[in-house]
Amino acid sequence: MYLKFFGLDEPPFSITPDPRFVYLGRQHEDALAHLRYGLGQEGSGGFLQLTGEVGTGKTTLSRLLLEDLPDNTEAALILNPLLEPIELLETLCEELGIDVADAGGSAKALTDRLNAHLLEAHAAGRTVVVLIDEAQNLSPAALEQIRLLTNLETARKKLLQIILLGQPELRDVLARADLRQLAQRITARFHLAPLVEDDVGHYIAHRLQVAGGSRNPFTRAALRRLHRVTDGVPRLVNVVADRALLAAYAAERRTIDPHLVDQADAEVRGVPYVRASRRWLAAAATVAAVVLTAGWFISGLERPARDAVDAAPAAAAGQRPVSAEMTPVAIAAVTPAASPAAVSAANPTAPPGLSLDAALERLLTERGIALPATPANCRWSIGPGVFCLEQRGRWQDLESLGRMVLVAVADGWLPLTVGADTALDATGKALDRAALEAAWSGRFVDVWQMPGYVSDVLREGDRGPGVLWIKAAAAQAQPPFAGMVEDPYFGPELTQWTLAFQQSVGVRSDGLVGRETLQQLSRFADVSLELP
């Protein structure tokens, strides 16, 4: 409908995994590198695990990986994991072209035929890879059956490589004590986080260009709003961006601003779109005018006494006192010029920054967190129970966290602990706060710890130890959770508390315990918090 209006050849924001539209942000490139590395270690025969929230691009990455496999690779793709162990074996054999018509539903017969096929492939120099999507839905019995398949091996090599793709709940499933043998065989893990703000802009521009567009109708402010309302989840970015283009077309506007993004977001979520009216803006302006008038009046009452105090040191030094009524030019005429040394002392500069990898390593070391085996960067998960989030905010946001964070300055990143009136570097040395604030871009990286069984998104209806940890942490937060802490069920009362807590700490109020909410909850609960 809007294609001709925006000069496009085809819809740019379809949610189908079309390889032409794939945009690989830093997260996706890292995930592909992990998977390719794991497959390259074919002798290890372990599991590869890729997790991520719904819509972050796991399926798209899996398609890219399968297309990129060497010619001597056989691949089996299982899209429906809601299968019993026997059905799973039958599906796997069928995907690999193994005839199981007369196997009679026997696990032994199916395994024997699979083993014979794998030995034949090995002798011919072929590698066999199995990719299981939505693996969080596999039953424990099916997972155990999959683990047993990795026992098919020669003296030097495992015959089967298995990739598990799933939502964050997969990590909780694999953390179960009865599945520890499988968890120990996972040789590469990666958790795919949503796109950061800069990547959303590149993502939108890339898809518009592939669709034949010659210009990007989204303003920079609209892209920032798009990242905020979608949390950077690619599928949501597609849906909201598509609706924003449609809304702009309906309004005959060739530029998309934040208001159109908000309107599109409201339509996607099925809620009414409410925009502040001019009447409310006028009322706000009236209130502001009253406040300013009161400030001028109070300032006028205080001015005589202040001028008298300000004039005293000037008179003592033989200078003409500076009056509040003097113009800037007159003030400059009677104020002696400061020496270069005095100017330098009054305007200190921030210390030089580090690369993100170096700064993260410094922060992890100072916080006593084990360094990851690979360079950290800032991924949502950079190690077992260690979480990382890059954000934009205010200086007060750094104060409220109460722990060392990485602050982006002009030439890199600085590990800082920010207090009400202080800013300390990694060694505890006090730095000039004014200089840091002047050099700060508004970006910062926070790293925190939680138990490994806490999923990165918990919502009403969930059950398990992660919910218990959330409730125990919530009981210590403000406002404190007053519900049943011993019940491992995420019920309506916890949803209501989550909404109130999110409003109190200034994160998006959606009732879901997601990244930003967990980040704020980590201020109130220790990583070793004992469960009830």
Side-chain angles (χ1 to χ4, degrees):
M1 185 179 295
Y2 56 70
L3 297 183
K4 185 176 180 181
F5 185 78
F6 286 106
L8 299 169
D9 299 329
E10 57 184 312
F13 299 114
S14 170
I15 60 174
T16 57
D18 188 336
R20 295 180 304 121
F21 284 92
V22 170
Y23 168 79
L24 294 181
R26 186 179 64 192
Q27 281 277 323
H28 296 80
E29 289 178 346
D30 287 347
L32 268 180
H34 273 67
L35 294 177
R36 285 168 177 162
Y37 173 80
L39 290 177
Q41 306 300 304
E42 58 186 36
S44 65
F47 290 86
L48 309 180
Q49 173 188 319
L50 175 64
T51 55
E53 189 48 72
V54 174
T56 49
K58 301 182 299 297
T59 300
T60 300
L61 280 180
S62 69
R63 300 300 187 272
L64 284 177
L65 182 69
L66 291 176
E67 289 181 0
D68 195 37
L69 290 175
D71 294 337
N72 65 336
T73 304
E74 287 185 53
L77 177 61
I78 298 178
L79 298 176
N80 176 24
L82 292 173
L83 302 168
E84 294 300 322
I86 295 297
E87 295 173 322
L88 185 65
L89 280 174
E90 290 176 339
T91 302
L92 176 56
C93 289
E94 290 168 358
E95 283 288 316
L96 293 173
I98 303 171
D99 184 11
V100 294
D102 58 346
S106 165
K108 182 179 185 307
L110 292 168
T111 303
D112 287 346
R113 295 187 185 190
L114 177 60
N115 190 39
H117 179 86
L118 294 176
L119 287 171
E120 179 185 343
H122 173 65
R126 301 195 306 271
T127 299
V128 180
V129 175
V130 178
L131 193 150
I132 304 176
D133 205 354
E134 302 295 344
Q136 76 279 354
N137 293 324
L138 286 165
S139 67
L143 283 168
E144 177 61 14
Q145 178 63 71
I146 292 172
R147 182 190 70 81
L148 293 174
L149 292 180
T150 61
N151 290 333
L152 303 178
E153 59 188 355
T154 66
R156 300 185 59 183
K157 178 184 175 181
K158 298 285 187 181
L159 298 177
L160 192 63
Q161 293 184 284
I162 300 173
I163 303 173
L164 301 176
L165 294 162
Q167 295 172 22
E169 294 81 359
L170 176 61
R171 298 188 298 182
D172 297 335
V173 171
L174 296 179
R176 293 173 44 148
D178 57 333
L179 294 175
R180 61 187 182 278
Q181 292 188 68
L182 188 153
Q184 291 171 3
R185 297 192 183 192
I186 296 175
T187 58
R189 291 181 174 88
F190 194 91
H191 185 79
L192 191 61
L195 299 171
V196 299
E197 184 177 300
D198 290 343
D199 275 342
V200 167
H202 297 314
Y203 178 85
I204 292 291
H206 170 76
R207 295 188 73 104
L208 287 168
Q209 183 179 18
V210 173
S214 59
R215 59 178 292 271
N216 187 345
F218 289 84
T219 66
R220 184 170 299 180
L223 291 171
R224 287 197 296 268
R225 186 67 58 85
L226 184 61
H227 175 262
R228 192 174 77 182
V229 300
T230 63
D231 287 331
V233 175
R235 185 180 300 163
L236 293 179
V237 171
N238 284 349
V239 175
V240 175
D242 181 76
R243 290 295 183 91
L245 286 174
L246 184 59
Y249 165 74
E252 296 186 348
R253 295 169 57 182
R254 297 189 183 277
T255 300
I256 298 173
D257 61 14
H259 295 299
L260 281 175
V261 173
D262 285 338
Q263 179 181 336
D265 176 55
E267 291 177 2
V268 169
R269 291 189 290 118
V271 299
Y273 171 61
V274 181
R275 180 175 176 180
S277 67
R278 294 184 181 276
R279 178 168 50 83
W280 286 108
L281 293 175
T286 301
V287 172
V290 171
V291 172
L292 288 174
T293 302
W296 290 334
F297 177 74
I298 295 172
S299 176
L301 293 177
E302 295 177 346
R303 184 181 297 158
R306 187 172 64 246
D307 288 349
V309 172
D310 292 343
Q319 303 170 8
R320 180 184 170 189
V322 177
S323 167
E325 286 76 17
M326 295 175 68
T327 66
V329 174
I331 293 174
V334 300
T335 305
S339 67
V343 171
S344 176
N347 298 280
T349 59
L354 305 171
S355 69
L356 181 56
D357 283 343
L360 265 175
E361 183 174 340
R362 183 70 178 273
L363 182 147
L364 295 174
T365 301
E366 293 296 329
R367 294 260 298 273
I369 300 173
L371 296 176
T374 57
N377 281 320
C378 185
R379 308 183 185 101
W380 165 227
S381 176
I382 59 175
V386 182
F387 301 94
C388 179
L389 191 59
E390 182 175 337
Q391 299 170 277
R392 285 188 178 273
R394 305 163 300 163
W395 201 257
Q396 294 88 334
D397 297 326
L398 308 184
E399 296 176 14
S400 67
L401 289 172
R403 55 185 173 234
M404 186 184 298
V405 297
L406 301 183
V407 174
V409 292
D411 56 351
W413 298 83
L414 289 175
L416 293 177
T417 303
V418 177
D421 301 303
T422 59
L424 308 178
D425 67 8
T427 66
K429 176 184 176 182
L431 302 178
D432 187 273
R433 177 164 165 162
L436 290 169
E437 287 194 64
W440 184 34
S441 69
R443 296 166 60 203
F444 69 97
V445 168
D446 183 32
V447 177
W448 71 95
Q449 287 183 287
M450 295 186 304
Y453 53 76
V454 179
S455 173
D456 58 356
V457 177
L458 289 163
R459 53 175 60 82
E460 189 169 330
D462 286 345
R463 181 184 298 274
V467 176
L468 284 177
W469 188 89
I470 295 300
K471 287 186 173 182
Q476 303 179 38
Q478 292 296 328
F481 176 63
M484 183 73 74
V485 177
E486 296 81 7
D487 182 7
Y489 177 68
F490 197 128
E493 74 285 353
L494 184 56
T495 299
Q496 292 303 313
W497 176 87
T498 301
L499 288 167
F501 176 72
Q502 289 170 332
Q503 293 173 1
S504 71
V505 297
V507 301
R508 183 178 181 182
S509 299
D510 55 11
L512 305 178
V513 182
R515 290 171 296 156
E516 287 81 3
T517 305
L518 287 170
Q519 176 194 33
Q520 295 296 326
L521 270 178
S522 68
R523 297 161 45 203
F524 300 97
D526 186 74
V527 66
S528 59
L529 180 69
E530 293 185 3
L531 296 177

